[in-house]
Amino acid sequence: MLRAPIGALLFALCCAALAPAAARAADTLRIGAKNFTEQYVLAQITADYLRARGYDVDTRAGLGSTLMRSAQENGQLDIVWEYTGTAALVYLKIPDAVKLSVQDLYRKVKQADAQRGLAWLDASRLNNTYALGVPQEVARRWNVKTISQLVDRLRGEPGRRHIFAMDAEFANRPDGLRPLAATYGMAFDRRELKQMDPGLVYTALHNNQVTVGLIYTTDGRVRGFNIVALEDDRHFFPNYNATPVVRQEVLDRHPRLATQLNALSAALDNDAMLEMNKQVDIDGRSVRDVAADFLRTHELP
């Protein structure tokens, strides 16, 4: 019987020991998240949920939108929560995306990304889109629930000055302020339009320093600062439904993963996300604790 050299035996033993670890590392689910509260919360919920189902998980949060997208396309991230409007307008540049229905927008991004090996699972009811917000006291006093009602109310006070606050990007981009004003027949003059940092818009509304402001529908400060998001009754703003997007080869390796992530997606809506964002941004709770509470109160497969 021939004996292998000791060096060869040691090498074989090292390879055998490292193989399982390498396999585990290769099969770790890498979850990406952008750099704002909602994304941190979604990533934490997803990571905790999947770990409890036996998956190895690694979370990489705090990424810019385009960086996160590139990382997933390059195979560096496996699972992200992406928004239909962001994919359509920023990544895929789908023509006339703002005019598409909710269903058509989702179908377009799903089809386009399938060619890139990215699978869009079931869209959640969480729609973090733009909205016009007014202080709760103003909404109650004027009895306004929609943007059209607000515009009618403002027309009834032609001699008074009403400030509309928004970030500089929205004020100047071609699909921003001008088409919004045209859609609703708004008549703000230049002195009534105030550009400011997006975060300061919420503070200005809270302090009744402005009449109306551009907000995001699921920002925690909407609830924390008693701001009313008016209904976009003429459907100007596109939908930004949060959706789990997974590399197809990862789904192929994990047959139950799609079902599990779809169940998680079905549990999310604007009300739940508003409350979780508020707890982090206004109440000072940790993302980890907020995610744990969510998972404790939802039955998932």
Side-chain angles (χ1 to χ4, degrees):
M1 181 177 177
L2 296 175
R3 295 188 179 184
I6 293 177
L9 284 173
L10 289 175
F11 178 77
L13 288 171
C14 287
C15 288
L18 290 173
R24 285 195 301 273
D27 210 31
T28 297
L29 298 180
R30 298 159 298 178
I31 300 172
K34 302 182 188 184
N35 52 0
F36 55 93
T37 299
E38 180 167 298
Q39 284 276 304
Y40 292 127
V41 172
L42 288 172
Q44 187 71 52
I45 289 172
T46 307
D48 291 349
Y49 170 51
L50 294 180
R51 282 195 190 99
R53 269 76 188 158
Y55 296 95
D56 288 324
V57 177
D58 178 35
T59 303
R60 304 175 187 183
L63 307 173
S65 291
T66 54
L67 178 59
M68 188 177 83
R69 170 70 177 196
S70 295
Q72 190 174 34
E73 286 187 345
N74 294 332
Q76 297 167 298
L77 293 174
D78 300 315
I79 304 169
V80 304
W81 285 88
E82 191 51 87
Y83 303 92
T84 49
T86 303
L89 297 169
V90 179
Y91 310 143
L92 303 171
K93 303 190 185 307
I94 295 173
D96 296 323
V98 295
K99 299 178 182 178
L100 296 175
S101 67
V102 176
Q103 296 79 11
D104 286 343
L105 186 68
Y106 171 78
R107 181 174 53 81
K108 288 273 190 181
V109 297
K110 183 181 178 74
Q111 289 176 346
D113 267 352
Q115 301 172 25
R116 296 167 171 80
L118 302 179
W120 283 69
L121 301 182
D122 293 350
S124 72
R125 292 167 293 164
L126 163 56
N127 177 27
N128 187 5
T129 188
Y130 289 110
L132 297 191
V134 297
Q136 189 176 72
E137 186 273 331
V138 170
R140 186 184 301 116
R141 175 160 43 90
W142 285 357
N143 191 29
V144 295
K145 297 179 180 178
T146 69
I147 298 178
S148 291
Q149 289 173 340
L150 174 67
V151 172
D152 288 342
R153 192 70 176 79
L154 295 176
R155 285 201 194 103
E157 298 187 344
R160 294 192 61 184
R161 188 178 179 190
H162 297 287
I163 304 299
F164 181 6
M166 71 204 75
D167 61 77
E169 179 187 354
F170 186 80
N172 296 295
R173 75 186 194 201
D175 62 339
L177 175 61
R178 287 186 181 179
L180 172 67
T183 298
Y184 281 100
M186 293 178 174
F188 289 97
D189 66 37
R190 189 179 298 273
R191 294 171 303 169
E192 293 178 305
L193 300 174
K194 188 171 183 61
Q195 298 179 30
M196 59 177 67
D197 180 88
L200 294 179
V201 174
Y202 299 92
T203 303
L205 286 166
H206 181 56
N207 295 332
N208 289 298
Q209 295 169 304
V210 301
T211 306
V212 56
L214 183 76
I215 62 173
Y216 292 98
T217 50
T218 59
D219 192 291
R221 290 165 292 190
V222 172
R223 178 162 293 178
F225 288 170
N226 294 320
I227 296 168
V228 174
L230 299 175
E231 179 190 343
D232 178 17
D233 52 302
R234 296 193 179 180
H235 309 291
F236 174 78
F237 295 116
N239 268 55
Y240 287 78
N241 290 98
T243 308
V245 181
V246 188
R247 292 197 302 119
Q248 184 60 53
E249 65 178 77
V250 173
L251 291 179
D252 293 340
R253 291 203 310 269
H254 301 282
R256 285 186 52 77
L257 184 59
T259 299
Q260 291 164 330
L261 290 175
N262 281 336
L264 181 55
S265 184
L268 293 164
D269 58 23
N270 276 27
D271 192 60
M273 201 72 241
L274 263 171
E275 181 57 30
M276 289 190 286
N277 287 337
K278 170 188 171 290
Q279 288 181 24
V280 174
D281 288 334
I282 305 296
D283 302 337
R285 298 191 68 205
S286 71
V287 169
R288 188 176 296 277
D289 287 346
V290 170
D293 283 352
F294 177 87
L295 290 172
R296 250 192 314 269
T297 54
H298 290 79
E299 292 187 8
L300 297 168

